[in-house]
Amino acid sequence: MNVLIIRQLCRSFREGVRVHRVLDQADAHVAGGEAVAVIGRSGSGKSTLLNLISGIDRADSGTVEIDGRDVTALIEPQRTLFRRARIGFVYQFFNLLPTLDVEENVRLALELNGVRGAEARQRSAAMLTEVGLGDRLHGAVDALSGGEQQRVAIARALVHEPTLLLADEPTGNLDEETAQQVLPVLFSITRARGATLLVVTHDEALARSADRVLELRDGQLHEAADSHSSGRRAAAR
Ligand SMILES: Nc1ncnc2c1ncn2[C@@H]1O[C@H](COP(=O)(O)OP(=O)(O)O)[C@@H](O)[C@H]1O
Ligand SMILES: [Mg+2]
């Protein structure tokens, strides 16, 4: 079953008198539980694509279906509610809230979905233990290293059990050694939950860990070379 179906997706930006077609009838299918890396040169539209999938940005035309639901047809506030419940997001620069402690940052994703009190605290703590931060629950987020902050962000993105995890260059702000520690966490936790992962990256190690690689080029998504066979392996798993 496809968890994500992108059809004929278009998004242009006006640059003075010129119109820049960033996405030009992009199509893609991603199966449930699949981990897909999206590569492409800087400015090719990778972040734009993720923002359209999550509903933060709106397409000019085309559709994005998540779990059989056309999210491009949703209007506010349903769009925001759908995003909060079904999608997790990991950013390059972590985007943690410095006024909240580690556990509160994660718990917020549950509270926004109506899960509160002891259950919310227990689930946040369990999630942070899973990413190896069970002993830092009530520390300040800015006392953590970059790798630790990104693990908090991964816990926050998955604690509410979303269908789809979107990650935009999650190792882009980490040194190579730290990236090597964060990557397995991202993949193993996403797979353990059966969530679908779409991760934008420049990191070749990260792309190799994915089931399939899509390249964004000239506004469209292309199956990257060598990616078919690994995709079939994933589908057969
Ligand atoms: N809100 C915006 N307004 C105008 N241009 C934008 C906007 N967002 C993105 N762009 C343009 O769209 C192109 C793709 O940007 P982006 O999706 O950030 O690329 P990538 O993430 O692949 O580096 C760039 O040329 C960028 O300048
Ligand atoms: Mg980007």
Side-chain angles (χ1 to χ4, degrees):
M1 228 277 277
N2 287 311
V3 154
L4 174 66
I5 302 175
I6 295 164
R7 286 196 187 94
Q8 301 283 292
L9 201 62
C10 295
R11 181 72 168 104
S12 298
F13 295 106
R14 194 168 285 283
E15 283 168 1
V17 292
R18 205 178 140 263
V19 173
H20 181 187
R21 285 179 155 263
V22 176
L23 293 177
D24 189 4
Q25 309 208 319
D27 289 297
H29 288 66
V30 179
E34 221 180 355
V36 174
V38 177
I39 60 171
R41 64 170 180 75
S42 177
S44 60
K46 304 179 298 296
S47 296
T48 300
L49 175 69
L50 291 196
N51 290 337
L52 292 175
I53 294 170
S54 69
I56 291 168
D57 188 18
R58 307 214 74 170
D60 301 325
S61 59
T63 59
V64 174
E65 239 177 62
I66 299 172
D67 257 352
R69 196 74 179 270
D70 178 5
V71 297
T72 46
L74 293 176
I75 53 162
E76 294 293 352
Q78 281 76 18
R79 209 150 53 100
T80 298
L81 293 174
F82 186 92
R83 177 167 61 242
R84 277 182 192 161
R86 303 295 191 84
I87 298 177
F89 217 113
V90 177
Y91 303 89
Q92 181 174 352
F93 297 102
F94 324 132
N95 287 21
L96 300 173
L97 296 174
T99 55
L100 302 180
D101 73 21
V102 169
E103 186 268 334
E104 288 166 338
N105 264 276
V106 174
R107 199 194 327 149
L108 187 59
L110 288 171
E111 288 175 343
L112 288 170
N113 283 293
V115 182
R116 289 172 204 283
E119 185 194 345
R121 283 195 297 278
Q122 184 271 325
R123 281 174 65 180
S124 308
M127 192 75 215
L128 281 159
T129 302
E130 225 177 304
V131 300
L133 293 169
D135 55 348
R136 309 297 289 270
L137 296 184
H138 300 297
V141 288
D142 47 20
L144 301 178
S145 70
E148 289 167 336
Q149 289 191 46
Q150 198 58 305
R151 283 188 276 145
V152 175
I154 292 168
R156 176 185 58 183
L158 285 167
V159 72
H160 60 299
E161 310 261 330
T163 311
L164 181 63
L165 179 63
L166 302 173
D168 196 350
E169 308 202 28
T171 60
N173 193 42
L174 304 176
D175 62 62
E176 201 174 315
E177 193 186 330
T178 307
Q180 291 312 317
Q181 294 158 4
V182 168
L183 275 187
V185 175
L186 178 69
F187 281 98
S188 67
I189 290 192
T190 307
R191 285 189 173 128
R193 280 172 174 62
T196 304
L197 173 65
L198 198 65
V199 54
V200 163
T201 190
H202 282 117
D203 182 339
E204 284 179 22
L206 199 164
R208 275 198 304 275
S209 306
D211 298 320
R212 198 150 63 94
V213 179
L214 295 175
E215 183 180 1
L216 187 52
R217 183 171 11 102
D218 300 330
Q220 299 189 340
L221 287 158
H222 303 269
E223 203 80 34
D226 273 356
S227 154
H228 278 292
S229 55
S230 59
R232 273 202 299 277
R233 272 204 304 281
R237 247 203 331 253

